[in-house]
Amino acid sequence: MNSAALAVQQGPATFGDGDPFPTWPMHDETEERAILEVLRSGKWGSTHGDVVATFEREFADYQQAGHATCLVNGTIAISVALRAAGVGVGDEVVVPPYTFIATASAALLIGAVPIFADVDPATHLLDPAEAEKMITERTKAIIVVHLAGRPADMDSFTDLGRRRGVVIIEDAAQAHGASYRGRRVGAIGDMGTFSFQSSKNITSGEGGAIVTDDPSTGSQLYSMVNVGRVRGGGWYEHQSIGHNLRLTEFQAALLRAQLVRHPSQQAAREQNAKLIGAGLADLVADGRIALAPDDPAVTEHGRHLFIFRVPQLGAAGLRDAAVKALQAEGLSAASTGYVPLHRNEPLINEATEISRRVGRTYTPTDCPNADLVSADTIWLPHTYLLGTEEQTELLVSAIRKVVLEADSLTP
Ligand SMILES: *Cc1c(COP(=O)(O)O)cnc(C)c1O
């Protein structure tokens, strides 16, 4: 064995002292002060304090949207956005299969039926042509996911929405600060939803937001999150059916601090992502690794995940072994990523049951591209883009070592 022996085969680990990358979330005195301030104010809820309202304005500005409404999490954000778009029981919502389960379960939660449309294997993102094929007279909305922080093809989706009369909702849970043709994501479509759950690039442990440019939708969202109240109206004046889905002032205090920190973290992630791309360029050229191609329309990548494909290893059934090998090198959070949702039995069962109740049969879609990428994709979390230059170079050498020595792995 030479020095290139894999750690998983008793060779020396690339990161001999273990995983050096930062843990998440990151915080300092800014968050501590902000939390204490809310604590001491005695105004812990947004019905009495103004921290949530302040963050909503700041976050709307950050995403270049007219309005932002905060709420409990990113899943409920999608359900509420769908309801605000008029989606109800039995209506169809087109979604990609290569995404977090919430993109589809949020539709089921309100009795709507998710219809899967395949992704583009080069980007892992919903393919507009595939989405259009799935539109029927029952389709009310398309949920476009900016997976990993990479904006989807919004030119095609906004055009599709207009041509076919369907609402476009952006699931931007992984895409804070991302922009498409210079415009921040979220309010490019009709509405956009965000998550502030623990793993996301801006976080308060749990939380979510919906952004929109449409003032009347903004007011409607406020009511839906605030038990049907209207802004400035009476306490017991419930003009519509809404629920209490409010964020606390503590969460908003954390979010205001996280929002301030986000631009410099994004710059670091972007720079390191470029270093990694450059360090893998020869393996991309010879086809051992596939990275999503550069696209001038992607003006800011949200960098929630660093995703790459290993097509030959995938075809040989060695992707999972390669991930284990990366973990042994010290990249402990390397992961195999999603099992595509069109393969998720509980989801299909629920969609089938809802369809049955409205007198229809549910026909699951074949999504060969989602199957392909789910077998050959490797994920690194965004904290792996926050290392020093030296750590980033080691990260590149760990990937190179595993990909170049992968012939010696067994499934
Ligand atoms: C995290 C996530 C969600 C759900 O957000 P929660 O706040 O965890 O409910 C939805 N969609 C995508 C793509 C996500 O990554």
Side-chain angles (χ1 to χ4, degrees):
M1 290 249 170
N2 56 32
S3 64
L6 295 170
V8 79
Q9 294 166 343
Q10 274 65 59
T14 309
F15 294 97
D17 300 327
D19 189 332
F21 291 96
T23 55
W24 193 258
M26 290 169 84
H27 56 88
D28 62 16
E29 315 80 56
T30 325
E31 278 83 357
E32 289 178 18
R33 263 200 307 273
I35 288 280
L36 272 177
E37 214 172 290
V38 171
L39 183 79
R40 289 172 179 149
S41 76
K43 297 173 180 171
W44 297 354
S46 67
T47 47
H48 293 81
D50 59 8
V51 190
V52 170
T54 302
F55 173 72
E56 286 176 337
R57 278 194 302 278
E58 292 170 345
F59 189 65
D61 287 347
Y62 198 62
Q63 294 303 138
Q64 300 172 343
H67 304 265
T69 305
C70 282
L71 72 176
V72 289
N73 61 53
T75 307
I76 294 296
I78 301 170
S79 296
V80 168
L82 289 170
R83 288 295 294 128
V87 177
V89 175
D91 291 336
E92 293 180 358
V93 179
V94 175
V95 301
Y98 195 83
T99 177
F100 185 58
I101 191 166
T103 310
S105 62
L108 291 171
L109 197 61
I110 60 162
V113 180
I115 304 291
F116 295 107
D118 210 355
V119 295
D120 176 347
T123 60
H124 297 76
L125 301 174
L126 180 59
D127 182 332
E130 293 299 318
E132 182 158 20
K133 280 189 213 160
M134 294 301 146
I135 293 177
T136 70
E137 70 275 12
R138 294 181 292 273
T139 308
K140 286 273 171 59
I142 299 174
I143 305 178
V144 180
V145 183
H146 304 309
L147 192 85
R150 182 182 169 106
D153 177 1
M154 290 308 294
D155 280 350
S156 297
F157 284 111
T158 48
D159 174 64
L160 180 56
R162 264 193 299 270
R163 273 192 296 111
R164 303 295 300 268
V166 295
V167 169
I168 303 297
I169 292 173
E170 299 173 58
D171 179 349
Q174 304 184 0
H176 317 80
S179 68
Y180 177 83
R181 297 197 195 285
R183 169 98 205 259
R184 288 272 162 92
V185 299
I188 302 173
D190 296 286
M191 275 174 270
T193 63
F194 291 84
S195 167
F196 305 125
Q197 176 268 347
S198 302
S199 71
K200 311 294 168 153
N201 295 24
I202 293 175
T203 178
S204 48
E206 298 288 353
I210 307 171
V211 301
T212 181
D213 266 351
D214 179 47
S216 76
T217 305
S219 304
Q220 185 188 359
L221 291 170
Y222 175 91
S223 289
M224 292 176 77
V225 168
N226 286 282
V227 290
R229 290 186 185 122
V230 287
R231 211 185 283 275
W235 187 254
Y236 292 119
E237 190 186 335
H238 309 283
Q239 298 199 354
S240 59
I241 292 302
H243 305 280
N244 173 6
L245 303 172
R246 292 183 296 264
L247 208 63
T248 69
E249 295 281 283
F250 292 105
Q251 288 165 295
L254 284 174
L255 290 170
R256 290 194 67 201
Q258 295 271 303
L259 186 61
V260 172
R261 189 175 288 116
H262 187 257
S264 62
Q265 289 177 330
Q266 279 306 96
R269 290 185 185 107
E270 188 56 40
Q271 190 179 343
N272 286 332
K274 289 224 162 69
L275 280 180
I276 298 169
L280 300 176
D282 57 323
L283 301 185
V284 172
D286 77 12
R288 289 181 208 247
I289 287 180
L291 290 172
D294 283 336
D295 178 348
V298 176
T299 39
E300 290 171 288
H301 191 302
R303 299 290 175 203
H304 178 63
L305 299 166
F306 187 91
I307 289 187
F308 60 100
R309 293 175 60 204
V310 284
Q312 295 159 13
L313 297 183
L318 289 175
R319 186 274 315 267
D320 292 11
V323 168
K324 285 207 183 80
L326 282 172
Q327 291 167 346
E329 296 299 332
L331 298 175
S332 57
S335 127
T336 54
Y338 297 129
V339 176
L341 301 181
H342 69 294
R343 303 261 167 220
N344 180 289
E345 221 175 293
L347 268 182
I348 300 300
N349 290 346
E350 182 79 358
T352 303
E353 175 60 14
I354 291 172
S355 301
R356 190 189 62 73
R357 289 194 192 193
V358 295
R360 294 201 298 269
T361 49
Y362 183 75
T363 316
T365 324
D366 285 333
C367 296
N369 291 337
D371 287 332
L372 175 70
V373 298
S374 68
D376 70 9
T377 293
I378 296 177
W379 288 11
L380 303 177
H382 62 92
T383 47
Y384 283 14
L385 302 176
L386 289 172
T388 62
E389 196 173 328
E390 197 185 338
Q391 289 166 345
T392 306
E393 279 164 12
L394 281 173
L395 180 149
V396 169
S397 54
I399 297 174
R400 295 187 64 87
K401 185 178 168 188
V402 168
V403 171
L404 290 168
E405 298 296 314
D407 294 347
S408 66
L409 295 170
T410 45

